[in-house]
């Protein structure tokens, strides 16, 4: 505490004592108080014979007891009025003291370190015992903020306040916005802002930081100018805001220097609300208030002292000026009451008798000072206050200016328009830096000339060009350095296209960029300009060159079963005939050998069988079942072969993503670390996902941590499908374009029909272009222009069929030689094999020719030849039993059966002495012929006893129907004698064979 009584400006006849109590942290208040007293003591027009004396005490603003003690000390020395510039904590104590002692008390509310004021909560009444006057106007911060926020139509914002601010000061505002349904958050800002920001990055996840970024788009800062400047600088440096943010800073203590620095440090739009004081337009009159001259250090804007003055300093100066005018008026009215010493401690101390008169004089007076008009209402408050509302445009340029948007006062309210000015259709002169990733057909290089910028084309480029034409901006395109769309890294940063936007190296990003929650946390997206879905690219099934397509209707195992069945049935037929030999018809040349049985079964199977020589019931039952079996097999084969050769069955079994997930023959994958990769990973690892399709997809895609089946770029995946056994999971729109424009039409696509996401244009977080871009995209979709752009890159009637897994040239059509190549090969193989067998038989016959009898023996007898031979023999004179070695007739039993009947033979010359050699099946041991010829032969021949056999070869018929040589050949002399026909009906028994 210090006391500084003094007398200034010469030796006055009358002293006017004043007392002042200031906060010990506000030394400048005392300095301005002294300067004000000095200026007034030098002004003879206000104080002619009176001079102001003063005493100043300093107190702790948060110690009410000390404030009362210092106030009593000043009153003991005698003062006409008490001026205080302290906080609300001590103001109430001084107010009670002044009311008790009837000392006019002019209270100037001071906030700590320039923090915005909160209401002190002191009671005001019209009672006569209220001696406190409030020099500073009431706190209107709640009314001003509510009006501005309502004008801007904010619905969600955050309020930042420093540690010195009493948040109860805006309780009224919070209650009102809550009633209107606004979403408001509160955040206290610590003194060490850098530490606070660093702590956010150290303790919060990326998602939480992104929520802070989103909330910072609309914010109100209630803090002192110094803290506000540091806070803005830190959050901008930490990339927590973008240049579409809009912040409101409200503080009565903001001066012009603070305004310029705040504008320089901030980005986006800035609105500043501060208390405004009138300034004379005439520069020469700035330091004059009527006849009173103000010190140049206080009124000259260029003076450093004036630039650093606080509002409290201005009100202190005006308060001294007001008191001086009141004292002068009191002296002129001759109503001056001398000031006696007052004792606050004594119980019987009486208040100052002239206190009420002095208070009324002060309340009725008024001055025009540094703060404008200073006067008091009936309740003792100063009603004169005007708030100035300043604002900037959107942007991040350091040279952007600030302009006055309007003003507000408690009487007329807002004067001016604060409508949140949005970007209009005029972006002339704006150059945007565009980052992209090459992806057909969204972004492609159309021209790449050395030394000139690359030119690009594609669907996304067409959309960007439409926006550029409508809005008027220009753009420069460059490709992301790592050619990736971007994903978060271990340190929380992003790479790829998204990273270029996060680090503000690009203004917008465009390509086949999908809108995902992770990306939308760090950048902004326009509305979707095209729907997105996941698709799969597969290679169409090709027609294989199978020369044995004729065997395709039956499986190899079935063919083996059929071949085995032919052999088995042939063997069974032979065995049945062997167990029960069949009775062959006279003249039948077919024998029941194993070879013939096999041949007959095969011939009937291929529907080429001839006469059936088998007459037993068992054999016929067997053959009936075999023919039925052959009929069914041949009919099924014919029908299936027609289907295979006419409509080639090469349809691919994968017709949906579900089909793809259920099979493992065709591996599949996507681009590693892409949005599709993350989408499948999240879905596949979600235990609550109802559809297990994604879990199966993720198992295949994540093999070997994704390195086995995934690729680094989409083009690598497309090439892998074209030249290998692979399926590529990627954006359906990209895959459809690839399938439509493939020269060989070798691709087809499958995918989901439901679009859960879309393609959008990415912008920096908080970009002011987002809304206007989205609005224009909606207009393009509504007027059909977007559909025209889609049809340009995805024509409905393309050269290739997107959804068919079969090449059209393989669907139906005339049969070609390739379809029947196997049939010709089988025929050629049969011809070659038969030729080889024929050559082998020829060689064998030549080698064994000397031992093999002529097959002429098996031929039927030529009756004319036999007739001539018999006639020639009959005319011979020798004995009838003469043996003709060179003219013998060699007959088999079957040959004899073909001879004419007796009547026919009788017409031939007598050949009773003809010797006929017969070849029989009789073994060597049999010496006699016990059986007679068949009825047909017996009617013409009669054989007597067989004489003794001569030594010589005897031919036996082999089981296979051929002949083999016996060491003895029976030469029998058969005399002819007519024999009457027996009573036996042997001629009608066809089952009886020839026996000799």
């Amino acid at each position: 505490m210090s006391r500084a009584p003094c007398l200034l400006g010469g030796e006055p006849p009358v002293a006017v004592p004043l007392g002042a109590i200031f906060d010990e942290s506000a030394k400048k208040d005392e300095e301005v108080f002294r300067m004000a007293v000095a200026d007034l003591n030098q002004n003879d027009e206000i104080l002619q014979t009176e001079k102001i004396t003063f005493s100043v005490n300093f107190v702790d603003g948060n110690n009410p007891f000390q404030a009362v003690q210092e106030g009593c000390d000043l009153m003991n020395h005698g003062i006409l009025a008490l001026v205080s510039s302290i906080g609300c904590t001590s103001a109430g104590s001084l107010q009670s003291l002044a009311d008790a002692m009837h000392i006019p008390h002019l209270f100037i509310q001071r906030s700590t370190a320039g923090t915005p004021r909160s209401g002190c909560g002191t009671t005001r009444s019209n009672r006569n015992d209220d001696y406190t006057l409030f020099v500073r106007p009431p706190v209107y911060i709640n009314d001003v903020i509510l009006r501005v926020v309502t004008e801007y139509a904010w619905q969600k914002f955050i309020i930042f306040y420093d540690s010195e601010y009493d948040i109860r000061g805006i309780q009224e505002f919070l209650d009102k916005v809550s009633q209107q349904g606004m979403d408001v958050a509160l955040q206290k800002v610590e003194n060490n802002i850098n530490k606070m920001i660093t702590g956010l990055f150290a303790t919060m996840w990326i998602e939480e930081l992104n929520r802070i970024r989103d909330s910072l788009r609309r914010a109100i800062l209630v803090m002192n100018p110094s803290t506000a400047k540091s806070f803005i600088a830190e959050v901008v440096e930490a990339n927590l805001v973008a240049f579409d943010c809009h912040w409101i800073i409200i503080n009565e203590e903001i001066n012009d220097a603070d305004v310029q620095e705040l504008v320089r440090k901030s980005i986006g739009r800035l609105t500043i609300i501060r208390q405004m004081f009138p300034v004379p337009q005439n520069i020469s009159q700035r330091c004059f208030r009527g006849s009173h001259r103000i010190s140049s250090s206080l009124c000259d804007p260029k003076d450093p002292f004036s630039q650093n003055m606080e509002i409290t300093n201005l009100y202190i100066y005006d308060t001294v000026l007001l008191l001086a005018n009141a004292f002068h008026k009191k002296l002129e009215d001759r109503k001056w009451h001398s000031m006696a010493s007052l004792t606050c401690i004594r119980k019987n101390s009486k208040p100052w008798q002239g206190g009420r008169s002095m208070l009324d004089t002060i309340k009725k007076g008024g001055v025009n000072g540094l703060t404008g008009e200073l006067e008091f209402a009936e309740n003792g408050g100063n009603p004169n206050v005007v708030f100035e509302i300043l604002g900037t445009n959107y942007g991040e340029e350091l040279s952007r200016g600030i302009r006055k948007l309007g003003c507000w006062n408690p009487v007329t309210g807002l004067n001016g328009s604060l409508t949140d000015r949005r970007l209009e259709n005029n972006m002339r002169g704006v150059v945007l830096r565009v980052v992209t990733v090459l992806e057909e057909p969204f972004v492609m290089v159309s021209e790449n000339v050395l030394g000139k910028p690359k030119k690009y084309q594609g669907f996304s480029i067409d959309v960007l060009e439409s926006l550029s034409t409508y809005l008027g901006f220009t753009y420069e395109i460059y490709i992301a350095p790592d050619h990736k769309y971007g994903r978060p890294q271990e340190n929380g940063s992003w790479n790829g296209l998204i990273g270029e936007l996060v680090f503000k190296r690009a203004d917008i990003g465009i390509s086949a960029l999908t809108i995902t929650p992770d990306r939308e946390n760090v950048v902004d997206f326009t509305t979707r300009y095209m729907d997105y879905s996941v698709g799969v690219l597969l290679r169409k099934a090709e027609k294989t060159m199978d020369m044995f397509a004729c065997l395709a209707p039956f499986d190899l195992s079935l063919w083996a079963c059929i071949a085995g069945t032919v052999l088995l049935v042939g063997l069974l037929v032979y065995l049945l005939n062997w167990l029960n030999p069949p009775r062959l018809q006279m003249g039948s040349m077919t024998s029941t050998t194993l070879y013939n049985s096999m041949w007959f079964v095969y011939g009937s199977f291929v529907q080429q069988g001839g006469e059936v020589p088998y007459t037993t019931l068992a054999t016929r039952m067997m053959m009936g079942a075999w023919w039925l079996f052959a009929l069914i097999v041949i009919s099924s084969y014919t029908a299936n072969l027609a289907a295979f050769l006419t409509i080639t069955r090469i349809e691919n079994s994968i017709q949906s993503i579900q089909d793809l997930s259920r099979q493992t023959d065709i591996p599949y994958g996507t681009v590693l670390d892409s949005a599709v990769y993350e989408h499948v990973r999240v879905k596949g690892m979600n235990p609550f996902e109802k559809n297990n399709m994604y879990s199966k997809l993720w198992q295949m895609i994540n093999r070997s941590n994704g390195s086995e089946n995934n690729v680094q770029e989409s083009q690598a995946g497309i090439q892998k499908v074209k030249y290998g056994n692979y399926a590529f999971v990627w954006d359906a729109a990209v895959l459809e374009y690839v399938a439509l424009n493939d020269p060989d039409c070798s691709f087809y696509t499958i995918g989901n029909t439901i679009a859960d996401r879309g393609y959008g244009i990415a912008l920096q977080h908080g970009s002011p272009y987002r809304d206007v871009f989205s609005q224009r995209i909606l207009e393009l979709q509504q007027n059909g222009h977007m559909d025209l752009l889609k049809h340009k890159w995805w024509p409905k009637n393309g050269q290739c069929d997107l959804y068919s897994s079969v090449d059209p040239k393989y669907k139906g059509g005339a049969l070609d030689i390739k379809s029947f190549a196997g049939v010709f090969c089988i025929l050629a193989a049969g011809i070659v094999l038969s030729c080889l067998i024929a050559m082998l038989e020829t060689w064998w016959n030549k080698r064994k020719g000397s031992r093999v009898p002529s097959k002429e023996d098996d031929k039927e007898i030529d009756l004319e030849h036999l007739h001539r031979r018999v006639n020639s023999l009959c005319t011979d004179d020798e004995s009838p039993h003469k043996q003709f070695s060179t003219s013998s007739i060699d007959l088999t039993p079957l040959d004899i059966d073909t001879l004419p009947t007796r009547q026919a033979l009788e017409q031939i010359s007598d050949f009773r002495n003809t010797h006929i050699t017969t070849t029989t099946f009789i073994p060597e041991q049999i010496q006699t012929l016990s059986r007679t010829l068949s009825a047909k032969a017996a009617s013409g021949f009669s054989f007597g006893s067989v004489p003794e056999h001569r030594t010589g070869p005897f031919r036996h018929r082999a089981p296979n129907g051929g002949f083999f040589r016996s060491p003895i050949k029976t030469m029998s002399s058969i005399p002819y004698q007519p024999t009457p026909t027996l009573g036996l009906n042997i001629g009608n028994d066809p089952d009886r064979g020839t026996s000799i």
Side-chain angles (χ1 to χ4, degrees):
M1 181 186 69
S2 64
R3 180 173 297 158
C6 59
L7 184 63
L8 301 175
E11 190 67 22
V14 179
V16 181
L18 289 178
I21 296 178
F22 300 129
D23 193 295
E24 59 186 5
S25 62
K27 300 297 183 179
K28 201 167 187 177
D29 286 350
E30 182 207 10
E31 186 175 359
V32 173
F33 183 80
R34 290 177 178 274
M35 295 176 65
V37 172
D39 289 343
L40 288 170
N41 285 335
Q42 294 177 1
N43 189 347
D44 295 336
E45 294 185 2
I46 297 178
L47 296 177
Q48 299 174 354
T49 60
E50 304 85 7
K51 298 300 178 183
I52 298 176
T53 61
F54 61 91
S55 297
V56 177
N57 292 343
F58 292 93
V59 298
D60 183 2
N62 296 321
N63 192 342
F65 179 78
Q66 182 185 9
V68 172
Q69 186 178 9
E70 297 298 332
C72 287
D73 183 68
L74 292 176
M75 293 179 185
N76 289 336
H77 290 83
I79 55 176
L80 297 176
L82 176 63
V83 178
S84 66
S85 174
I86 55 178
C88 294
T89 304
S90 302
S93 301
L94 288 179
Q95 180 182 7
S96 300
L97 178 62
D99 292 344
M101 304 307 295
H102 293 186
I103 299 297
H105 174 213
L106 283 79
F107 169 60
I108 305 169
Q109 182 183 357
R110 162 169 285 281
S111 59
T112 305
T115 302
R117 294 184 301 149
S118 296
C120 288
T122 54
T123 58
R124 302 174 187 175
S125 65
N126 294 325
R127 296 179 301 173
N128 295 329
D129 58 353
D130 193 352
Y131 282 83
T132 298
L133 301 176
F134 296 89
V135 178
R136 293 193 67 169
V139 178
Y140 289 105
I141 185 173
N142 292 279
D143 303 298
V144 178
I145 295 179
L146 181 62
R147 185 70 180 89
V148 172
V149 169
T150 304
E151 190 72 13
Y152 284 144
W154 285 10
Q155 293 298 321
K156 180 180 180 180
F157 53 91
I158 185 172
I159 299 177
F160 292 96
Y161 61 96
D162 58 24
S163 57
E164 302 295 336
Y165 181 71
D166 186 357
I167 194 60
R168 294 174 295 178
I170 58 173
Q171 185 61 48
E172 180 182 353
F173 166 74
L174 295 176
D175 293 339
K176 290 182 178 180
V177 297
S178 177
Q179 294 174 2
Q180 297 180 13
M182 299 182 185
D183 185 4
V184 183
L186 296 174
Q187 179 63 49
K188 183 178 180 179
V189 178
E190 303 295 338
N191 292 330
N192 192 338
I193 300 174
N194 182 269
K195 182 178 179 181
M196 184 189 74
I197 299 298
T198 305
L200 289 178
F201 284 99
T203 59
M204 288 188 176
W205 296 95
I206 296 295
E207 291 78 7
E208 295 174 331
L209 289 174
N210 291 330
R211 285 195 293 269
I212 292 180
R213 288 190 178 97
D214 185 64
S215 62
L216 285 175
R217 295 182 61 190
R218 300 290 182 266
I220 299 175
L221 275 58
V222 184
M223 55 185 67
N224 66 73
S226 177
T227 305
K229 288 181 284 188
S230 301
F231 178 73
I232 291 175
E234 291 291 342
V235 295
V236 170
E237 182 67 24
N239 195 32
L240 290 176
V241 292
F243 62 91
D244 76 332
C245 67
H246 187 178
W247 285 10
I248 298 174
I249 302 177
I250 182 167
N251 195 327
E252 299 165 320
E253 300 285 349
I254 299 176
N255 55 36
D256 293 341
D258 294 332
V259 169
Q260 296 299 326
E261 191 168 359
L262 287 170
V263 172
R264 184 177 60 83
K265 291 181 178 293
S266 66
I267 63 175
R269 186 177 182 186
L270 188 65
T271 298
I272 299 175
I273 303 175
R274 64 175 182 174
Q275 188 174 353
M276 181 182 68
F277 303 107
V279 177
Q281 298 295 329
N282 191 349
I283 299 178
S284 60
Q285 297 297 321
R286 287 182 178 178
C287 294
F288 289 92
R289 297 297 184 269
S291 59
H292 177 66
R293 177 180 176 83
I294 303 174
S295 175
S296 60
S297 59
L298 300 178
C299 61
D300 187 1
K302 297 181 180 180
D303 192 284
F305 187 88
S306 174
Q307 294 176 354
N308 295 321
M309 286 180 63
E310 299 177 359
I311 291 181
T312 305
N313 304 148
L314 301 179
Y315 276 110
I316 288 176
Y317 190 96
D318 289 352
T319 299
V320 176
L321 180 60
L322 176 65
L323 289 174
N325 282 277
F327 295 155
H328 177 70
K329 186 176 183 180
K330 195 71 174 175
L331 290 174
E332 285 184 345
D333 295 341
R334 299 181 182 275
K335 296 180 180 180
W336 184 265
H337 294 275
S338 60
M339 180 61 190
S341 298
L342 301 176
T343 303
C344 302
I345 301 176
R346 296 178 182 178
K347 294 183 180 180
N348 57 357
S349 60
K350 296 181 180 180
W352 181 34
Q353 297 298 323
R356 172 55 57 186
S357 176
M358 181 60 72
L359 180 64
D360 293 340
T361 303
I362 295 174
K363 288 177 66 175
K364 293 178 181 178
V367 294
N368 183 12
L370 295 176
T371 60
E373 293 291 333
L374 176 59
E375 56 186 2
F376 298 98
E378 291 296 328
N379 60 358
N382 179 9
N384 298 321
V385 61
V386 177
F387 286 92
E388 183 182 34
I389 303 175
L390 305 175
T392 66
N393 298 326
Y394 284 107
E396 54 183 349
E397 298 84 6
L398 300 180
S399 60
R400 62 197 175 115
I402 188 168
R403 60 188 179 91
K404 183 176 180 179
L405 303 178
C407 57
W408 183 94
N409 64 74
V411 178
T412 62
L414 178 65
N415 181 17
S417 176
L418 300 184
T419 302
D420 196 355
R421 187 177 65 86
R422 300 182 182 274
L423 293 172
E424 303 296 337
N425 293 339
N426 185 10
M427 292 178 62
R428 305 292 178 186
V430 177
V431 180
L432 299 179
R433 187 164 173 78
V434 181
V435 61
T436 189
V437 173
L438 297 180
E439 189 75 76
E440 296 181 349
F442 290 87
V443 179
M444 301 175 289
V445 177
S446 62
E447 183 178 338
N448 187 9
V449 180
L450 185 63
K452 294 183 179 180
K454 294 181 180 179
K455 293 184 179 181
Y456 298 88
Q457 65 178 0
F459 176 66
S460 296
I461 300 299
D462 290 344
V463 174
L464 181 63
E465 187 63 28
S466 299
L467 295 175
S468 173
T469 303
Y470 181 78
L471 299 175
F473 65 87
T474 58
Y475 55 88
E476 299 174 353
I477 300 180
Y478 73 98
I479 300 175
D482 55 0
H483 302 275
K484 295 182 179 297
Y485 290 99
R487 69 186 303 264
Q489 305 299 300
E490 295 180 356
N491 58 0
S493 62
W494 283 71
N495 63 352
L497 182 149
I498 300 297
E500 296 296 301
L501 295 172
V502 170
F503 292 104
K504 301 185 182 302
R505 292 190 285 264
D507 298 313
I508 62 176
I510 193 168
S511 184
L513 189 63
T514 54
I515 304 173
T516 64
D518 291 339
R519 292 171 177 174
E520 205 162 15
N521 285 331
V522 294
V523 297
D524 286 343
F525 278 96
T526 63
T527 185
R528 64 174 65 179
Y529 59 86
M530 184 176 179
D531 291 333
Y532 164 85
S533 63
V534 176
V536 182
L537 183 70
L538 299 105
R539 186 176 59 184
K540 291 183 178 180
E542 297 179 356
K543 187 176 181 180
T544 57
M545 300 303 177
D546 187 6
M547 61 188 308
F548 294 100
C550 58
L551 303 179
F554 288 166
D555 187 66
L556 181 61
S557 60
L558 182 57
W559 282 115
C561 291
I562 292 174
T565 304
V566 171
L567 298 176
L568 178 62
V569 173
L571 179 62
L572 290 176
V573 169
Y574 171 74
L575 292 175
L576 290 175
N577 291 327
W578 181 75
L579 295 175
N580 188 10
R583 297 175 180 177
L584 300 178
Q585 296 289 341
M586 294 297 294
S588 175
M589 300 300 294
T590 304
S591 62
T592 58
T593 63
L594 178 62
Y595 169 78
N596 288 337
S597 298
M598 292 292 181
W599 181 254
F600 173 73
V601 170
Y602 172 74
S604 62
F605 177 74
V606 295
Q607 299 181 354
Q608 300 296 325
E611 180 185 359
V612 181
Y614 308 112
T615 58
T616 62
L617 180 61
T619 306
R620 291 183 177 183
M621 291 294 294
M622 170 68 70
M623 294 310 300
W626 172 248
W627 288 338
L628 180 61
F629 170 81
L631 175 65
I632 297 174
V633 172
I634 295 299
S635 300
S636 301
Y637 174 82
T638 304
N640 222 16
L641 180 63
F644 267 82
L645 296 181
T646 305
I647 302 176
T648 308
R649 295 183 178 181
I650 52 176
E651 294 288 341
N652 198 307
S653 61
I654 301 178
Q655 298 297 325
S656 66
I657 297 183
Q658 287 79 4
D659 295 339
L660 182 70
S661 65
R662 287 193 289 261
Q663 61 84 43
T664 57
D665 296 334
I666 301 178
Y668 49 88
T670 184
V671 176
L672 192 65
D673 297 334
S674 63
V676 177
Y677 182 88
E678 290 297 321
H679 176 71
V680 176
R681 182 186 66 82
V682 172
K683 290 276 190 179
M685 299 181 66
N686 184 7
F688 302 102
E689 182 67 33
K690 296 182 180 180
N691 191 352
N692 62 351
M693 176 190 71
Y694 287 100
S695 62
K696 294 180 180 179
L697 290 175
W698 176 243
Q699 291 176 3
M700 175 68 75
I701 291 177
N702 195 41
R703 282 186 179 179
S704 304
N705 289 330
S707 60
E708 180 177 344
N709 295 326
N710 296 305
V711 295
Q712 295 296 327
E713 294 182 354
S714 59
Q715 288 298 322
I718 295 171
Q719 294 299 317
K720 197 172 181 180
V721 174
K722 190 174 184 67
Y723 300 107
N725 185 35
Y726 185 73
F728 184 47
V729 183
W730 196 234
D731 296 359
V734 177
L735 300 181
E736 288 178 1
Y737 176 82
V738 172
L740 279 172
N741 294 273
D742 183 58
D744 302 327
C745 292
S746 58
F747 298 124
Y748 78 99
T749 63
I750 58 175
N752 292 330
T753 57
I754 300 176
D756 55 348
R757 285 182 289 172
Y759 299 97
I761 300 176
L763 304 96
Q764 291 184 11
H765 189 76
S767 173
Y769 309 125
R770 182 185 64 174
D771 294 339
V772 66
F773 277 20
S774 298
Q775 181 181 359
R776 179 55 183 163
I777 289 173
L778 292 176
E779 293 176 359
L780 292 175
Q781 293 173 343
Q782 186 175 4
N783 59 26
H785 185 71
M786 194 70 72
D787 294 332
L788 295 177
L789 296 180
K790 292 179 183 178
H791 183 72
K792 173 183 176 182
W793 298 101
W794 291 275
K796 294 182 179 180
N797 299 322
Q799 63 177 355
C800 301
D801 189 354
L802 292 178
Y803 310 109
S804 174
S805 59
V806 183
D807 197 311
K809 63 185 178 182
Y810 296 138
K811 291 184 177 180
L815 298 178
D816 52 9
I817 188 62
K818 298 175 183 177
S819 302
F820 278 89
V823 179
F824 286 99
C825 289
I826 293 175
L827 177 60
I831 294 174
V832 172
L833 183 61
S834 62
C835 292
L836 291 176
I837 293 175
M839 294 172 63
L840 183 61
E841 287 180 342
T842 303
W843 173 78
W844 181 259
N845 291 334
K846 287 183 179 181
R847 181 179 179 182
K848 300 295 182 179
S850 60
R851 297 165 52 186
V852 178
S854 175
K855 290 188 179 181
E856 294 296 328
D857 298 338
D858 293 336
K859 293 183 180 180
E860 295 182 357
I861 298 176
D862 188 350
L863 295 182
E864 293 186 6
H865 178 71
L866 179 61
H867 180 69
R868 289 194 300 270
R869 293 287 295 176
V870 171
N871 289 336
S872 63
L873 291 174
C874 290
T875 57
D876 200 335
D877 295 334
E878 295 186 4
S879 174
H881 298 285
K882 181 180 179 179
Q883 183 177 359
F884 299 96
S885 59
T886 59
S887 302
S888 300
I889 302 174
D890 191 5
L891 299 176
T892 66
L894 297 180
D895 295 337
I896 294 175
D897 192 57
T898 60
L899 292 176
T901 61
R902 177 181 177 181
Q903 291 77 7
L905 291 174
E906 288 179 350
Q907 296 176 2
I908 308 175
S909 300
D910 186 14
F911 52 88
R912 279 173 289 184
N913 294 323
T914 302
H915 293 275
I916 302 175
T917 302
T918 62
T919 303
T920 70
F921 297 102
I922 302 174
E924 299 176 6
Q925 291 80 6
I926 299 177
Q927 303 295 321
T928 61
L929 298 174
S930 61
R931 300 187 64 181
T932 61
L933 296 172
S934 63
K936 184 177 181 180
S939 61
F941 292 95
S942 177
F943 299 94
S945 297
V946 179
E948 184 179 350
H949 293 82
R950 295 182 181 180
T951 302
F954 190 88
R955 292 190 298 173
H956 292 268
R957 184 174 295 274
N960 61 354
F963 296 94
F964 62 89
R965 290 285 181 177
S966 177
I968 300 175
K969 183 177 181 181
T970 302
M971 301 297 294
S972 299
S973 179
I974 306 177
Y976 172 76
Q977 57 182 352
T979 303
T981 303
L982 299 178
L984 298 176
N985 190 17
I986 61 174
N988 297 328
D989 187 2
D991 295 331
R992 297 184 60 85
T994 303
S995 296
I996 299 178

